[in-house]
Amino acid sequence: MRLWIRCAWPLACRSRPRSRKAVAAVSLDSFVEAIDRLRAEAAGTLQTAADEGALEKARVNFLGVKSGQLKELQKLLSGLGSDDRPAGGKLFNVAKAEITATFALAQDRVASSHQSGVQNAEAIDVTLPGDRVRMGHLHPITQTIRRVQEIMARLGFESVDGPEVEDQWHNFEALAIGAEHPARDPLDNFYLAVARGADPLLLRSQTSTVQIRVMERRKPPLRIVSLGRVYRPDTADATHYPMFHQVEGLLVEPDVTLAHLKSVLRFFASSFLGGDVRVRFRPSFFPFTEPSVEVDMEWGGRWIEMGGAGMVDPAVLEAVGYDPDKVSGFAFGLGVERIAARRYGVADIRDFYRNDVRFLEQF
Amino acid sequence: MIISMNWLADYVQLTGVSVPAVSLADMLAERLLMSGLNHESTRAIGDDTAVEIEVTSNRPDCLGHIGVAREAAVLFSRPLHIPDPRPLEAGGIAAESIAVEIRSPECCPFYLARVIRGVHVGPSPSWLVERLATVGVESVNNVVDITNYVMLECGQPLHAFDLQKICGGRITVRRATAGEPFVAINHKTYSLTSAMCVIADSEGPVALAGVMGGAKSEIAESTVDILLESAQFAPLAVRAAARGLVLGSGSSYRFERSPDPAAVEWASRRAAAMILDTAGGVLERGVVEAGTLACSPVAIDLRHARVAQVLGIDIPQPRQRAILAALGFAGLAAAGPMAVGNTPCDRSRWQSPTWRRDVSREIDLVEEIGRIEGYDQVPEDESISAQPVELSAREQAIRIASSVLVSAGMCEAITRSVVNEHMEATRSPWSDGMPLSIAPALVRGADRLRRTLVPSLLEARASTLAVGAPHGELFEVAHAYLSRANPDVPLPQPRARPANATASEESILEEPLLVSLVTGGEFASAKGLAEAMLLRLGVGGDRQSPAVSVCVEFRPLELDLFARGRAAEILLHRQTQQGERIGVVGEIAPAVLKRFGLEGPVAAAELRLDRLEWAVGVDRLLQQPSDFPAIQRDINLVVDIAVPWSNIVAAIYSVSHQATGLGHTGNDNILEECRLVQVWKDETRLGIGKKSVVVSLRLRSHVGTLSGEEANRVIESIVVACGQRVGATLRS
């Protein structure tokens, strides 16, 4: 088998046999004259070439491989009589070496003038736009979540996720939300048409479900951040959307107090907002924490509601098999859209879900 | 809940607590805010001030002025005055005027009625009109206004019936029958369900229990005799009616939160006394009662040391006790030997007041002490120990995939997890099962949990291009929701207590984590992005040798989402395992593009990150680059058009991994790279059914400089292998 193997680079190096054309007879005198004329012309042009463009033009003209003037002269060689041909060849080679050397000199000259900037080379308009690379963008909600994750990771909180379709146990019962609690109303939840036996399934209404799942699997100490989409049947308006994102933190260890919660949230607020940010607790009510508080952070001289928090209710610890006399914990939840809206000046949270590239490209 | 400052002053005198430049209302609002009653707004109304507060669902006691006054009294250490109305009973015997029967005690544990005869229904006195106006309630007439007033005073809703319109001398509290009609005070007719509870006379419902009175028995100018109802209604029945009929009222709002049981009797007395005062009439003797008042106060033990253990602040025991006592908690004889006389002890026993049914455990007492003492006392410089933490494999996989696509200039979208029928019309690459549906719909029409993200991204692309965005290159990382393939498999029973099952074992559905993208381009553009993600995740690459245990295969796929013949499934082969589908890629079918109003070509790819996340955990060890020079050779192979590129690559690599008899070790892969240069077809030059595939090969050794001769031998053996395996001939 015969191989067709060629050098790969440059690809165009492959040589093909060319058809020979008959060349008209030329006298040595006229050949010498042509050579002298070319040498003079080349010297003049190359020595005055002001920039790389002119130089390149001259190179193609004189030294061009396909149809440069030297090439044309070389073709004339074959038109010389056989006695004149060695002399003509010699002359040609000398001329070629001279022009090549002149070109190299001119090249050096142009390059150095280029470097020193002395020559009045055609200046480019430096205000013209560069060849920009189009960069993509992470959604501002994702960026906010990552920021929260990163700050909490510095405190040893690990990010976890869990299923979005949940059962009654994880979404309500284990979180101490009893059957009579208004939060379980079918109108306040997205229940699935299918059920597991008698247990209706629903889209989770909070990411606390993930905390229950983690506590069921692991023993304290525990530091986790659960995050993801949650669903509540709110009519969409500037501050509500039936699908939104939550980040919830949970810490369960021996001897944890409300003071630890406040300190962690102050660390978070200072890291997230920058500077030494004060945190304020207002008493509140959530079924799965006791005491429960609303968390305000001081932002721009005002108290801004950041989310809910509290000490994990002993009933929740018991539900996952922990002993509330031996370990205690705290939990907090942040509404990602609310933080992101404030951070980026988004007045209508529906904008986060329009997926308009003109919006997304700003973050 | 709106508080009238003038009204509040009836129960607690706060004059003197405010400092200059801060109004009493602002001072109160601030203190209430910091103890659990959120401040909404403060408005001046005439000479009164309305302070609107938000009351959490556990505090029905603060849905009345007295409850808020009690909080204020505790916060400002002022005495609390609660009236003790003693209306004069003078008429006949109430029980002879009306009988009450409860047929559904689960909806109504207790019902109490009073009868007042000979009232003059008319306009309310101006003080009453003004107070109600401050709290945003319109005056109706003196009797109705008084029932509203007493509700806003103590949180217990009341209802007054025109006794003469009650037929049969008996009222019955029962569940409604399905479809039973009821004409409410608003003169609209409602169709009831058996989840709702009604007050009925012999002819039918005269009130929707705890929600709204009926038109027939409403108090009018002509009313002379009144039946005054004060009762306990169960939250669930009230909520069913209020929510089911969209008939929420101040009454239903309170009953849904279980008002103070002790207020049932007090409110009845209070309203009767006020009606006698303002509308005249004579109160019949006695009350008519049915059922048993649901009120079971519990004893709670408090270990005082727990306060510091939970709150992180030391509050002296006498202060703890004082707070509880001021809030209405009754100290009981404490259990155990520690409780001797009045000596402070480790443990004390308390009984909650009737209006604080939310307090039933030690932790609840701790919270009460904490919120009154003030959480501003809690320190914020407690340190926690350091702990190592790592990003989960899943989180890393998400970040790797996202960073590839962001680098490629794509924008991340977040689209709805729940889609409409139109969006779920095409099949899912992941399941043949029907989409799961939810109720209510997330937004209008969107009631199906999506099984792929691609249609959502197509919609997003169409909408952003429609508004003139510079491009519509979008991706998303989200879950899809698949019902289990075989619904006949018995499902695990729901658990009353947690077991150790994992989410996927117990769930009837699967939630694959997907990364999806749509791009304006042909198949290769989406495939290139998919390949880049796979490579970054650590599973891509063409090299198909036994030394590499993982390989990715693209295989033709027919799916109605994609154009025929222009889509592939991506299979992952791991050692002995069967190929697993980890992704799909293709050009969107013209019919689908049309449905979304998009112009083609548009290509999409979707990968299962949940099936790829393991790869990020695989250690990547340095492959030391060779310092010896490479030799680049191109070969032009002619093969049948049907031979796929993947087969040619496989044939080429079948040689390279073997020792080529060049004195190099067996592990020394001489073939460093195999790259497609071009494919072309030309019947006249190549023959019918043939194509030319130009492949660029880069050869390099790790142990020495390859000679041209050695390179030629490798290339020769590759060409031989290609001839044997894919019928390739070399084109010269």
Side-chain angles (χ1 to χ4, degrees):
Chain A
M1 183 178 284
R2 205 172 68 88
L3 296 183
W4 182 62
I5 299 167
R6 60 181 171 81
C7 75
W9 186 260
L11 279 169
C13 74
R14 173 175 44 199
S15 64
R16 287 260 169 85
R18 291 219 184 84
S19 58
R20 281 179 181 273
K21 279 184 197 158
V23 178
V26 183
S27 74
L28 183 61
D29 286 351
S30 62
F31 183 73
V32 170
E33 193 186 323
I35 281 189
D36 286 345
R37 201 166 49 236
L38 180 60
R39 284 166 64 182
E41 187 189 344
T45 311
L46 288 170
Q47 280 160 15
T48 56
D51 58 25
E52 279 160 349
L55 200 56
E56 174 62 12
K57 216 165 136 192
R59 186 193 64 78
V60 171
N61 184 20
F62 301 115
L63 296 163
V65 176
K66 277 186 183 161
S67 51
Q69 292 199 43
L70 266 174
K71 193 79 193 170
E72 297 305 320
L73 269 183
Q74 193 178 10
K75 289 176 190 164
L76 292 181
L77 268 178
S78 54
L80 287 174
S82 56
D83 298 343
D84 294 337
R85 220 175 279 156
K90 215 172 228 174
L91 279 171
F92 174 80
N93 284 337
V94 169
K96 187 180 177 183
E98 187 187 299
I99 294 172
T100 306
T102 312
F103 174 73
L105 279 174
Q107 225 175 0
D108 286 351
R109 175 177 53 79
V110 169
S112 68
S113 78
H114 200 336
Q115 275 164 15
S116 61
V118 173
Q119 206 73 17
N120 54 350
E122 193 189 337
I124 53 160
D125 176 359
V126 295
T127 65
L128 282 174
D131 296 336
R132 276 186 212 164
V133 175
R134 194 184 76 215
M135 296 297 292
H137 299 261
L138 281 180
H139 198 284
I141 294 292
T142 303
Q143 293 188 35
T144 307
I145 288 174
R146 292 216 183 150
R147 212 170 133 71
V148 175
Q149 285 179 309
E150 279 153 19
I151 294 168
M152 294 314 295
R154 287 181 227 152
L155 291 170
F157 285 75
E158 173 196 350
S159 298
V160 291
D161 77 344
E164 290 175 31
V165 174
E166 269 295 1
D167 52 28
Q168 302 284 301
W169 168 259
H170 290 98
N171 202 71
F172 297 127
E173 278 148 40
L175 291 163
I177 303 172
E180 292 209 349
H181 198 280
R184 291 178 73 154
D185 195 285
L187 291 170
D188 282 334
N189 294 284
F190 293 113
Y191 279 98
L192 264 67
V194 295
R196 184 182 60 194
D199 187 17
L201 297 171
L202 74 163
L203 287 174
R204 65 182 177 195
S205 55
Q206 65 241 339
T207 49
S208 319
T209 55
V210 182
Q211 308 187 341
I212 298 298
R213 287 185 178 279
V214 173
M215 287 194 282
E216 282 171 359
R217 279 201 316 271
R218 293 202 228 157
K219 291 291 154 211
L222 207 63
R223 289 182 200 176
I224 54 170
V225 175
S226 58
L227 45 102
R229 299 181 180 205
V230 297
Y231 305 85
R232 290 179 199 169
D234 286 320
T235 305
D237 61 26
T239 55
H240 295 85
Y241 204 73
M243 176 184 93
F244 56 101
H245 295 75
Q246 263 188 348
V247 175
E248 290 201 11
L250 171 76
L251 179 148
V252 182
E253 279 167 24
D255 305 321
V256 178
T257 72
L258 202 61
H260 290 103
L261 171 61
K262 205 175 186 183
S263 307
V264 162
L265 288 173
R266 178 165 160 251
F267 176 90
F268 171 79
S270 299
S271 307
F272 191 84
L273 304 174
D276 189 16
V277 176
R278 287 202 301 155
V279 163
R280 182 173 83 170
F281 280 179
R282 283 179 289 116
S284 189
F285 172 66
F286 306 110
F288 36 88
T289 50
E290 186 96 358
S292 301
V293 295
E294 296 280 351
V295 184
D296 297 337
M297 295 176 186
E298 206 176 22
W299 197 339
R302 288 200 309 151
W303 288 108
I304 304 297
E305 253 184 67
M306 295 294 284
M311 301 302 291
V312 181
D313 193 300
V316 173
L317 295 175
E318 275 168 14
V320 296
Y322 293 179
D323 182 348
D325 275 349
K326 293 199 175 127
V327 290
S328 48
F330 64 71
F332 62 88
L334 304 166
V336 180
E337 277 78 358
R338 184 158 47 171
I339 304 177
R342 200 167 285 279
R343 187 171 179 78
Y344 299 118
V346 176
D348 188 332
I349 70 161
R350 286 171 292 190
D351 286 345
F352 286 124
Y353 302 107
R354 291 209 170 96
N355 298 309
D356 184 339
V357 166
R358 296 170 304 166
F359 171 90
L360 298 172
E361 280 191 334
Q362 296 180 42
F363 303 100
Chain B
M1 175 75 189
I2 301 173
I3 299 297
S4 147
M5 290 300 290
N6 287 350
W7 189 345
L8 202 69
D10 286 2
Y11 319 108
V12 61
Q13 283 298 323
L14 297 176
T15 45
V17 301
S18 68
V19 293
V22 178
S23 74
L24 186 58
D26 289 346
M27 187 87 179
L28 177 69
E30 174 70 15
R31 291 298 295 272
L32 291 176
L33 173 78
M34 295 309 293
S35 63
L37 295 169
N38 221 348
H39 181 228
E40 298 269 356
S41 65
T42 299
R43 278 171 299 130
I45 294 174
D47 68 343
D48 201 353
T49 306
V51 178
E52 186 166 10
I53 54 170
E54 184 193 344
V55 181
T56 51
S57 63
N58 61 326
R59 293 298 302 275
D61 59 310
C62 288
L63 294 172
H65 278 71
I66 289 175
V68 177
R70 184 180 293 111
E71 292 281 306
V74 175
L75 292 169
F76 293 102
S77 305
R78 295 292 167 107
L80 179 71
H81 304 287
I82 299 175
D84 183 21
R86 297 285 168 193
L88 181 67
E89 296 180 348
I93 294 167
E96 290 173 1
S97 295
I98 193 78
V100 177
E101 182 194 358
I102 298 175
R103 286 201 200 145
S104 54
E106 73 284 2
C107 299
C108 173
F110 183 68
Y111 195 100
L112 184 150
R114 278 190 154 89
V115 175
I116 305 170
R117 293 191 184 269
V119 297
H120 300 283
V121 177
S124 291
S126 60
W127 69 267
L128 180 53
V129 174
E130 282 164 16
R131 281 201 174 170
L132 291 176
T134 300
V135 301
V137 175
E138 220 170 286
S139 175
V140 180
N141 58 48
N142 48 9
V143 173
V144 171
D145 286 356
I146 285 165
T147 58
N148 283 333
Y149 182 87
V150 174
M151 174 180 81
L152 295 164
E153 183 177 39
C154 68
Q156 167 66 28
L158 299 170
H159 188 65
F161 296 93
D162 184 332
L163 182 60
Q164 289 178 357
K165 305 280 174 60
I166 304 284
C167 305
R170 164 183 291 265
I171 59 168
T172 306
V173 186
R174 60 168 170 83
R175 283 184 182 271
T177 55
E180 190 168 11
F182 168 66
V183 184
I185 286 180
N186 61 15
H187 296 278
K188 286 186 186 159
T189 304
Y190 294 91
S191 176
L192 309 182
T193 73
S194 60
M196 303 168 187
C197 177
V198 294
I199 314 301
D201 66 5
S202 57
E203 293 186 342
V206 291
L208 192 53
V211 180
M212 197 168 274
K216 186 180 92 169
S217 59
E218 78 175 299
I219 303 293
E221 294 278 333
S222 57
T223 302
V224 178
D225 299 333
I226 292 171
L227 171 69
L228 183 65
E229 166 199 288
S230 186
Q232 272 188 313
F233 294 114
L236 277 178
V238 171
R239 194 188 312 151
R243 301 291 299 268
L245 304 175
V246 197
L247 258 185
S249 62
S251 166
S252 67
Y253 189 80
R254 286 170 175 79
F255 278 123
E256 285 184 52
R257 286 158 180 75
S258 300
D260 178 9
V264 175
E265 197 275 334
W266 186 92
S268 176
R269 264 194 289 136
R270 174 70 163 162
M274 286 181 68
I275 289 169
L276 295 181
D277 278 354
T278 56
V282 175
L283 175 64
E284 291 199 335
R285 275 177 286 161
V287 294
V288 185
E289 285 181 5
T292 314
L293 191 70
C295 181
S296 45
V298 292
I300 312 164
D301 285 332
L302 172 67
R303 292 166 290 170
H304 290 280
R306 281 298 280 169
V307 175
Q309 283 171 8
V310 174
L311 303 178
I313 41 174
D314 282 318
I315 302 171
Q317 277 193 34
R319 172 72 180 146
Q320 295 182 18
R321 291 164 186 273
I323 289 171
L324 293 177
L327 286 169
F329 290 83
L332 302 175
M338 305 288 282
V340 184
N342 292 326
T343 320
C345 58
D346 262 348
R347 189 189 285 245
S348 58
R349 177 167 285 191
W350 301 86
Q351 182 175 300
S352 298
T354 53
W355 60 86
R356 291 303 304 274
R357 287 197 290 180
D358 58 311
V359 179
S360 62
R361 303 168 303 161
E362 181 184 60
I363 191 71
D364 303 329
L365 294 178
V366 173
E367 178 172 42
E368 288 303 302
I369 293 165
R371 75 178 181 88
I372 297 297
E373 183 70 6
Y375 293 139
D376 54 340
Q377 305 294 313
V378 176
E380 51 181 30
D381 53 0
E382 198 77 58
S383 61
I384 63 170
S385 64
Q387 233 177 48
V389 67
E390 203 182 0
L391 271 187
S392 67
R394 171 159 298 196
E395 194 66 34
Q396 289 181 56
I398 291 172
R399 290 177 187 222
I400 290 167
S402 306
S403 70
V404 167
L405 297 178
V406 167
S407 306
M410 309 199 88
C411 283
E412 186 190 20
I414 295 184
T415 62
R416 290 189 290 266
S417 317
V418 190
V419 298
N420 59 27
E421 187 180 1
H422 157 80
M423 304 253 286
E424 271 291 299
T426 48
R427 279 169 53 210
S428 160
W430 312 111
S431 164
D432 288 330
M434 291 297 291
L436 295 155
S437 63
I438 57 161
L442 190 80
V443 295
R444 191 212 285 263
D447 64 350
R448 282 143 208 258
L449 300 189
R450 61 180 169 181
R451 299 166 301 164
T452 163
L453 315 185
V454 175
S456 305
L457 287 175
L458 290 173
E459 186 188 59
R461 176 178 173 85
S463 75
T464 193
L465 291 179
V467 295
H471 65 85
E473 305 291 287
L474 294 171
F475 77 97
E476 181 169 18
V477 180
H479 289 102
Y481 315 86
L482 313 173
S483 55
R484 257 181 22 171
N486 185 357
D488 297 331
V489 174
L491 301 167
Q493 281 307 297
R495 295 168 306 138
R497 301 283 303 170
N500 288 326
T502 65
S504 59
E505 280 165 355
E506 74 187 26
S507 186
I508 66 157
L509 53 83
E510 204 189 343
E511 290 184 25
L513 179 66
L514 304 175
V515 55
S516 277
L517 63 94
V518 295
T519 176
E522 297 190 341
F523 176 82
S525 57
K527 181 175 172 179
L529 291 165
E531 286 176 318
M533 285 191 282
L534 291 171
L535 273 169
R536 273 295 166 97
L537 287 164
V539 299
D542 288 331
R543 182 156 294 201
Q544 315 212 339
S545 82
V548 182
S549 58
V550 176
C551 78
V552 167
E553 180 190 358
F554 286 77
R555 201 185 273 174
L557 170 73
E558 288 232 348
L559 194 70
D560 53 2
L561 180 64
F562 295 123
R564 209 168 244 278
R566 302 186 74 82
E569 65 171 329
I570 311 171
L571 294 169
L572 183 75
H573 300 277
R574 295 171 69 181
Q575 285 161 341
T576 56
Q577 286 180 23
Q578 255 202 324
E580 181 183 39
R581 186 184 281 187
I582 52 158
V584 293
V585 55
E587 282 173 31
I588 302 298
V592 176
L593 287 180
K594 199 175 161 199
R595 193 136 42 81
F596 285 99
L598 280 167
E599 276 176 36
V602 175
E606 186 160 84
L607 298 183
R608 290 276 302 247
L609 287 179
D610 56 324
R611 290 181 177 167
L612 290 163
E613 66 188 47
W614 60 270
V616 303
V618 177
D619 286 336
R620 250 160 268 188
L621 299 175
L622 172 69
Q623 311 263 304
Q624 187 69 49
S626 168
D627 289 336
F628 297 102
I631 293 182
Q632 192 95 23
R633 294 285 167 85
D634 286 6
I635 54 174
N636 186 348
L637 299 167
V638 175
V639 293
D640 286 348
I641 281 176
V643 174
W645 165 247
S646 59
N647 288 8
I648 299 172
V649 174
I652 290 170
Y653 277 110
S654 72
V655 171
S656 72
H657 74 271
Q658 295 161 357
T660 42
L662 298 172
H664 298 295
T665 64
N667 292 332
D668 190 18
N669 281 316
I670 302 292
L671 178 57
E672 190 174 79
E673 188 195 59
C674 154
R675 189 171 50 83
L676 177 68
V677 178
Q678 63 166 353
V679 179
W680 56 278
K681 295 165 195 168
D682 186 332
E683 284 189 4
T684 53
R685 290 164 70 190
L686 299 173
I688 293 168
K690 295 285 182 188
K691 64 181 173 188
S692 152
V693 179
V694 181
V695 184
S696 175
L697 303 168
R698 191 166 66 232
L699 308 177
R700 198 202 300 261
S701 166
H702 274 77
V703 294
T705 301
L706 278 184
S707 69
E709 181 58 25
E710 285 171 328
N712 285 352
R713 277 165 49 201
V714 174
I715 298 293
E716 246 170 89
S717 54
I718 285 174
V719 171
V720 169
C722 288
Q724 287 167 347
R725 288 176 174 243
V726 294
T729 56
L730 204 64
R731 182 174 149 80
S732 51

